[in-house]
Amino acid sequence: MPMTADQTQAQTATLIDLGAIFVSLELSKSTWLVTALSPGSEKMSRHTVTGGDIAGLFSCFAALRQKAQRREARLFPLVVIQEAGLDGFWLGRVLSKEAWIESHIVEAASIAMPRRHRRAKTDRIDGETLIRALMAWKRGEPRACSMVKLLTSEQDDNRRIGRERKTLIAERVFHVNRIKGLLFTQGIRDYEPLRRDRRQCLDELRTGDGRVLSKHLKAEICRELDRLELLLTQIKAVEAERDALIVRETPETPARAVALLKVRGIGPEFATILYTEGLFRHFDNRRQIASYAGLAPSPWQSGNISREQGVSKAGNPRLRATMVELAWLWLRHQPKSALTLWFKERIARNAGRLKTPMIVALARKLLVALWKYVNSGVVIEGAIMKTA
């Protein structure tokens, strides 16, 4: 019987002994599938643990080590891999506390997959794929997969401020539009729910045919205003926490975040997102930070074919969206900077066309320039700094 390519790949990948037990975790809400490959064995074993049962997981790990010790007369460490997903980073932090466990979190999209039109996918297949990718990475193949850096609990918590504010702003927009929509059906077009005298103005409203608001409609709008006022209070509280983190200079305030506020055109909200979503990390070069933000180019070159597919969009979406928005504002607040002059020159060369792709290119250049500024103190050429 002929052997398929997948079977050959699976067997050749398991014949290499790297002196450790390789374990992959497929995590779901109800169960955790543990797939393990131990030294001296060519077959992968599978074990099921109840979701969230840390004691049961460590018992499974201990059983794997004891079985490998009986076979090889040696106690092996564990190299564990899991996908970055709904469970976040807490499990990785728990495993990293143990000296005999080497924990890794992988970006699932970075693992090579078969390009068949219909690809089989089960937890069993995914567990084997994770182990093969982990072994290739441990053998020194850096492009076998991309490992995610494990954040500290403080770094992970600091990101909550900007993300919560964005969620609250979206909810505020929803309630404002809901109120305006209800009134628009009655011929009222000029009511602004965000004004401080919104309650008083509501009592004075008249419909398009001259009537006062009906009882149930007014009661519904009042309840919407209650939700809106609660959101406004929560937004103020979140912004106060943001200012305490990044605006006021305290021993706990990061120096990089304070440096961003010195650039004209960057306020507390932009500085918070730029720092907590990206610039607090360590990058070796400009390509790494552009790739992390999803602003790296995606060429398509093969033979005589050479075209650009646009940015990868594979990085942090919050940082990418913020940089594109900041790029538009940069043109307004920094008209004499080198980056703005470069943008205007490229647009003039194309007779005013291609503004959208060029603003993305400007966002990538601006992100690299800000990274150099907060790390090395290299001020952006021609940029205007805020006065003290």
Side-chain angles (χ1 to χ4, degrees), residues 90-104:
W90 72 270
L91 183 57
R93 297 190 189 100
V94 172
L95 299 179
S96 299
K97 294 179 181 179
E98 303 296 332
W100 50 278
I101 296 179
E102 180 182 339
S103 178
H104 296 283

Side-chain angles (χ1 to χ4, degrees), residues 161-162 165 239 242-248 253 256-276 279 322-323 325-327 329-330 333-334 366 370 373-374 384-386:
I161 299 178
R165 184 182 182 276
E239 290 177 346
R242 177 201 64 191
D243 294 343
L245 172 67
I246 202 169
V247 176
R248 302 166 188 169
T253 303
R256 297 181 181 181
V258 176
L260 289 172
L261 290 174
K262 298 179 182 179
V263 182
R264 181 178 176 182
I266 299 180
E269 184 62 21
F270 276 168
T272 302
I273 296 177
L274 289 177
Y275 175 75
T276 59
L279 295 183
T322 301
M323 285 310 306
E325 185 179 357
L326 180 59
L329 295 175
W330 187 265
H333 295 287
Q334 300 285 354
L366 181 57
L370 291 175
Y373 167 67
V374 299
I384 302 175
M385 309 300 289
K386 295 177 182 177

Side-chain angles (χ1 to χ4, degrees), residues 179-384:
I179 295 172
K180 288 185 175 182
L182 291 173
L183 294 176
F184 194 87
T185 61
Q186 305 299 319
I188 301 174
R189 301 167 179 261
D190 55 353
Y191 180 73
E192 293 297 335
L194 293 180
R195 292 182 56 175
R196 294 185 178 181
D197 58 345
R198 48 186 167 268
R199 300 278 184 176
Q200 179 181 354
C201 292
L202 182 64
D203 296 333
E204 299 173 355
L205 290 179
R206 294 296 181 269
T207 63
D209 53 358
R211 297 178 293 105
V212 296
L213 293 179
S214 59
K215 179 178 64 174
H216 296 299
L217 176 60
K218 185 175 181 180
E220 182 180 359
I221 294 177
C222 288
R223 286 189 286 268
E224 287 287 345
L225 289 177
D226 293 338
R227 301 186 189 100
L228 179 60
E229 290 170 351
L230 175 60
L231 283 172
L232 294 176
T233 303
Q234 292 179 345
I235 291 174
K236 289 182 180 179
V238 171
E239 290 177 346
E241 293 182 10
R242 177 201 64 191
D243 294 343
L245 172 67
I246 202 169
V247 176
R248 302 166 188 169
E249 296 190 12
T250 62
E252 293 79 14
T253 303
R256 297 181 181 181
V258 176
L260 289 172
L261 290 174
K262 298 179 182 179
V263 182
R264 181 178 176 182
I266 299 180
E269 184 62 21
F270 276 168
T272 302
I273 296 177
L274 289 177
Y275 175 75
T276 59
E277 294 290 348
L279 295 183
F280 76 94
R281 294 175 176 268
H282 170 75
F283 299 98
D284 293 330
N285 51 59
R286 58 186 177 88
R287 294 181 179 86
Q288 287 186 5
I289 187 170
S291 178
Y292 175 78
L295 293 172
S298 302
W300 182 277
Q301 298 178 355
S302 179
N304 295 329
I305 302 175
S306 179
R307 61 185 178 88
E308 180 59 49
Q309 303 178 96
V311 295
S312 63
K313 293 187 179 181
N316 190 318
R318 299 175 182 86
L319 180 60
R320 180 171 61 254
T322 301
M323 285 310 306
V324 173
E325 185 179 357
L326 180 59
W328 286 111
L329 295 175
W330 187 265
L331 300 176
R332 179 192 304 174
H333 295 287
Q334 300 285 354
K336 298 182 180 180
S337 67
L339 293 177
T340 302
L341 297 179
W342 171 86
F343 176 83
K344 292 181 178 179
E345 189 272 334
R346 294 297 296 268
I347 293 298
R349 186 189 306 175
N350 293 281
R353 299 187 302 270
L354 304 178
K355 282 189 176 182
T356 299
M358 291 310 303
I359 203 66
V360 176
L362 176 62
R364 180 170 60 246
K365 287 179 171 291
L366 181 57
L367 178 60
V368 174
L370 291 175
W371 167 67
K372 293 180 179 179
Y373 167 67
V374 299
N375 283 275
S376 305
V378 180
V379 181
I380 302 175
E381 183 179 355
I384 302 175

